Amino acid sequence: MPHVEIDGLTKDYPVGSFAMKTKRALDHLTLTIGEGEIFGLIGPNGAGKTTTLKLLMGLIFPTEGHAQILGKPLGDLSMKAEIGYLPEHPYFYDYLTGRELLDYFGHLFGMSGDERRQRSQELLRRVDLTAAADLQLRKYSKGMTQRLGVAQALLNRPRVVFLDEPMSGLDPMGRRDMTLLIRELNQEGATVLFCSHILPDVEALCDRVAILNQGRQVKAGRLSEILDLSLTIEVVLDKVSEDLERKLSRMSKRLQRLGKGVKLELENDEILGNVLGLVQTNGARLVSVHPVRQTLEEYFVREVESAGVEKA
């Protein structure tokens, strides 16, 4: 059974002094996210990512369309007890400590005192906040607040976790730990839907992704379906004469001069063999050879620039 089903979800906001006009933040989004998937939602600023999560959480209501989580409508309270949510900018009571905040949320979930203490301690350790557990939140850094937000999202052992920019405010070590945590959640059986601007992390983590642009879905599917994953071969040569450069330019998809050398982009191994033969007979020097494929970041930037909108 799909864990998240979105069908034609649309959101219009009133704009202007008298709200006579509307701005469409999300335009008939349709997605299905299967059990146990890690699904990434990416797009430039204003693409509709956060709007999508707020609609799924019931924080705002759709203009059109509908969605289900765990086979239940968005307003179902029993479903809400089985999901976790980290907003993009989590805000908590400043004068509570990290431990007190998790205990408070545990109360809301109806946990017993022993269960709250055990689960809070486990999560504080998991997000590396044990040493700061009894520090007031007003003294937390942005990264620490972000990690505590993840802990509260996991307090009830959710079956589906929604994370809005989980890497925000984290240093490289924090990003690595967050990546490992998301993988662990998935290995434990949770379905994860997250938005992120850190595209290499999305590419490394996700089973599937959807790209939003100006409220509309541009692409959705596995990376192998979205990206041109056909390999090209990048070759760097040194001591290349002008005559050899002319011959190489006819054999390569792209050639770039680098001082006394060149960088080539070749289509296949057969052409590579011919190039290496020319290198040997013309006195040039081979510096490097390595395969190259298009990344999610390259695809994303090209799509955003072609649409003429601000990059995230």
Side-chain angles (χ1 to χ4, degrees):
M1 178 186 73
H3 271 186
V4 181
E5 298 175 272
I6 301 172
D7 184 12
L9 211 54
T10 301
K11 180 62 180 177
D12 294 334
Y13 287 104
V15 295
S17 301
F18 300 100
M20 298 296 289
K21 298 181 180 180
T22 60
K23 176 179 174 57
R24 179 149 291 183
L26 193 65
D27 192 357
H28 293 92
L29 177 65
T30 298
L31 286 174
T32 300
I33 301 171
E35 179 178 357
E37 278 196 284
I38 302 178
F39 194 97
L41 204 58
I42 63 175
N45 292 327
K49 306 183 301 296
T50 295
T51 296
T52 300
L53 292 191
K54 286 182 176 179
L55 287 166
L56 292 175
M57 293 301 101
L59 299 176
I60 57 177
F61 300 99
T63 306
E64 295 179 41
H66 63 274
Q68 290 186 331
I69 301 173
L70 298 171
K72 300 173 183 178
L74 299 183
D76 189 287
L77 291 179
S78 64
M79 174 273 291
K80 291 182 182 294
E82 297 187 271
I83 65 175
Y85 173 52
L86 171 70
E88 183 177 6
H89 302 293
Y91 180 80
F92 304 124
Y93 301 109
D94 283 352
Y95 288 88
L96 291 178
T97 67
R99 193 188 308 277
E100 288 169 343
L101 182 84
L102 294 182
D103 186 73
Y104 169 72
F105 279 107
H107 266 292
L108 297 180
F109 280 113
M111 295 179 177
S112 68
D114 287 343
E115 186 181 7
R116 293 197 307 272
R117 284 189 291 272
Q118 181 180 354
R119 185 63 175 160
S120 296
Q121 189 63 28
E122 175 190 341
L123 288 170
L124 288 165
R125 176 191 55 76
R126 199 166 185 179
V127 298
D128 196 25
L129 285 177
T130 301
D134 298 307
L135 193 67
Q136 287 181 325
L137 301 187
R138 63 192 180 93
K139 298 179 182 179
Y140 274 34
S141 67
K142 181 179 179 181
M144 292 167 70
T145 303
Q146 191 77 1
R147 284 184 275 140
L148 185 65
V150 173
Q152 66 80 26
L154 305 182
L155 193 63
N156 58 322
R157 294 181 173 84
R159 294 171 62 192
V160 185
V161 184
F162 299 90
L163 305 174
D164 197 353
E165 299 292 346
M167 312 296 183
S168 176
L170 299 181
D171 59 21
M173 292 295 291
R175 279 178 52 199
R176 184 205 64 177
D177 292 343
M178 186 66 68
T179 298
L180 292 174
L181 178 57
I182 291 173
R183 286 201 179 108
E184 287 175 6
L185 289 173
N186 184 244
Q187 289 168 359
E188 292 168 5
T191 300
V192 181
L193 169 60
F194 77 99
C195 306
S196 180
H197 286 149
I198 316 295
L199 297 184
D201 292 338
V202 174
E203 188 170 8
L205 279 169
C206 292
D207 301 303
R208 293 190 300 139
V209 302
I211 301 175
L212 301 184
N213 197 359
Q214 299 178 317
R216 296 183 177 182
Q217 180 178 303
V218 177
K219 292 280 186 178
R222 296 189 177 277
L223 290 175
S224 58
E225 298 167 347
I226 292 175
L227 303 178
D228 178 8
L229 297 181
S230 59
L231 293 175
T232 58
I233 303 168
E234 184 182 272
V235 180
V236 178
L237 305 173
D238 195 13
K239 299 180 181 179
V240 176
S241 65
E242 291 183 2
D243 180 59
L244 177 57
E245 182 180 346
R246 284 192 294 271
K247 295 177 182 177
L248 294 172
S249 67
R250 293 193 291 268
M251 304 170 67
S252 61
K253 293 177 63 176
R254 190 174 294 106
L255 183 146
Q256 177 185 354
R257 190 78 197 187
L258 303 173
K260 295 182 180 180
V262 295
K263 181 166 69 174
L264 311 172
E265 188 176 328
L266 308 177
E267 287 188 343
N268 54 53
D269 291 341
E270 182 179 349
I271 297 175
L272 174 62
N274 295 333
V275 166
L276 294 180
L278 285 174
V279 169
Q280 187 174 13
T281 57
N282 286 267
R285 184 171 71 89
L286 177 65
V287 177
S288 66
V289 178
H290 70 272
V292 178
R293 70 168 177 85
Q294 184 186 31
T295 66
L296 179 60
E297 186 166 10
E298 289 168 341
Y299 177 87
F300 174 80
V301 169
R302 189 178 72 244
E303 286 292 317
V304 170
E305 289 181 339
S306 67
V309 299
E310 179 187 356
K311 292 185 286 294

